[in-house]
Amino acid sequence: MPGTLFVVATPIGNLEDITARALRVLREVAVIAAEDTRRTGHLLAKFAITTPTTSLHEHNERSKSQALITRLLEGQSIALVSDAGTPTVSDPGLRLIQNAIAAGIRVEPVPGPSAIMAALSASGIAGETFVFLGFPPTRAKDRKIWFDDLATAARTVEFFEAPHRNRATLKELLNKLGDRTIVIGRELTKAHEELVRSHISELLTRFEKPVGEFTIVIDSGQIPESVATEMASGESIAVEFGELTESRGLSRRKAAAEIARRHGLATNTVYSMMESLKKSGD
């Protein structure tokens, strides 16, 4: 029988957040595949775990995965861990998991600490529907597309940012969203934890020399009217309106409300755009 690949979430800062199940799994597996064996070594030493470790990071995952798959097929179980939090969430491990699935090996998640959920839960921002965007791209063209998508997300948005790029990202958010209130989590669960709710302009001053990875939460449920209007032209609104009323049989009132919800517009704005388009065609 093949072994099991356990995908184990580890603390994002405070080592006391490790779960009892995660500790048991780390003790019982044949080997721990770690993003950084030195970082993982501190965790293992804290809880007197002597399981051997092997490195598995973005630079060697392709070459290392097959050897680990072989061990799994021989019946050995392996725990996959990242430096902090859950593997594959902006961390290595996806290739190993995909290879294990292809080989018919059981992949079992061991959930635990998450910077994403920690920041969202204490942000005061609705989290019933949200999108996690990882890290913003570094290339100018890709960043523009990324921020354009964020500005029109129409739901709670959450993402990570590195300290040396945080000010540039805040400036871009200010440009795209205006000076709205957002939430920043820094050094979550650690001794110098901060969870700050403030206007973007104030955060630029507060984090002039930032340290530690940032988790940023934005309530994008209401798209700025200027962005939404630019995004949704009168012609595209008319096409959507026709599709909703003719193909789906919605009343004019319900169709206008649905379009307003989709684009973050006021219902009256939708009616105004339709009216303007009608007059231009007269």
Side-chain angles (χ1 to χ4, degrees):
M1 288 287 293
T4 298
L5 175 61
F6 294 96
V7 184
V8 182
T10 55
I12 58 176
N14 192 324
L15 297 185
E16 293 178 359
D17 290 338
I18 189 79
T19 67
R21 182 181 172 207
L23 291 174
R24 176 181 59 79
V25 168
L26 293 176
R27 287 191 176 99
E28 293 179 353
V29 294
V31 66
I32 299 169
E35 182 180 3
D36 185 332
T37 55
R38 292 168 297 179
R39 288 279 298 273
T40 300
H42 295 310
L43 174 66
L44 300 181
K46 166 79 173 177
F47 295 99
I49 297 173
T50 59
T51 306
T53 61
T54 185
S55 65
L56 186 80
H57 47 72
E58 61 179 329
H59 302 297
N60 73 354
E61 186 175 359
R62 180 187 293 273
S63 60
K64 203 74 171 284
S65 289
Q66 191 51 55
L68 293 173
I69 294 297
T70 299
R71 296 183 67 163
L72 286 160
L73 291 173
E74 290 173 348
Q76 299 181 44
S77 290
I78 294 174
L80 170 66
V81 301
S82 63
D83 286 351
T86 305
T88 76
V89 181
S90 297
D91 284 323
L94 180 60
R95 180 180 296 276
L96 175 61
I97 292 170
Q98 290 175 334
N99 290 347
I101 292 171
I105 294 166
R106 175 177 172 78
V107 178
E108 185 173 318
V110 182
S114 164
I116 300 166
M117 299 313 300
L120 182 62
S121 67
S123 68
I125 294 174
E128 290 86 353
T129 302
F130 74 95
V131 58
F132 172 65
L133 298 178
F135 284 89
T138 56
R139 294 175 56 185
K141 181 179 179 181
D142 294 336
R143 280 178 70 85
K144 182 182 185 306
I145 295 172
W146 191 91
F147 280 105
D148 286 345
D149 288 343
L150 182 151
T152 57
R155 68 189 71 183
T156 297
V157 173
E158 191 167 8
F159 61 94
F160 294 150
E161 187 54 288
H164 63 282
R165 287 197 295 268
N166 189 60
R167 284 184 58 78
T169 291
L170 287 176
K171 289 178 180 178
E172 190 66 29
L173 288 175
L174 184 62
N175 178 53
K176 290 290 184 181
L177 304 178
D179 197 15
R180 68 169 64 181
T181 298
I182 64 173
V183 177
I184 287 185
R186 187 187 72 85
E187 297 284 87
L188 293 175
T189 79
K190 299 178 183 178
H192 302 291
E193 174 184 280
E194 288 185 285
L195 195 62
V196 185
R197 302 167 186 84
S198 190
H199 287 91
I200 298 172
S201 60
E202 295 170 357
L203 292 169
L204 275 165
T205 302
R206 183 184 183 110
F207 295 116
E208 288 186 352
K209 297 181 179 179
V211 177
E213 187 174 289
F214 287 76
T215 304
I216 300 175
V217 188
I218 302 171
D219 181 1
S220 292
Q222 292 298 318
I223 304 172
E225 189 80 2
S226 59
V227 174
T229 304
E230 180 182 348
M231 174 187 67
S233 67
E235 292 180 358
S236 67
I237 289 294
V239 171
E240 287 188 61
F241 192 86
E243 190 272 333
L244 291 172
T245 55
E246 296 172 15
S247 301
R248 291 177 50 184
L250 296 185
S251 67
R252 288 176 57 85
R253 181 177 63 81
K254 289 184 177 180
E258 171 63 15
I259 291 171
R261 185 195 65 78
R262 288 181 182 180
H263 297 283
L265 296 167
T267 304
N268 288 339
T269 301
V270 175
Y271 282 125
S272 296
M273 295 174 73
M274 294 286 292
E275 188 64 26
S276 295
L277 187 66
K278 181 179 178 181
K279 289 180 178 178
S280 66
D282 290 342

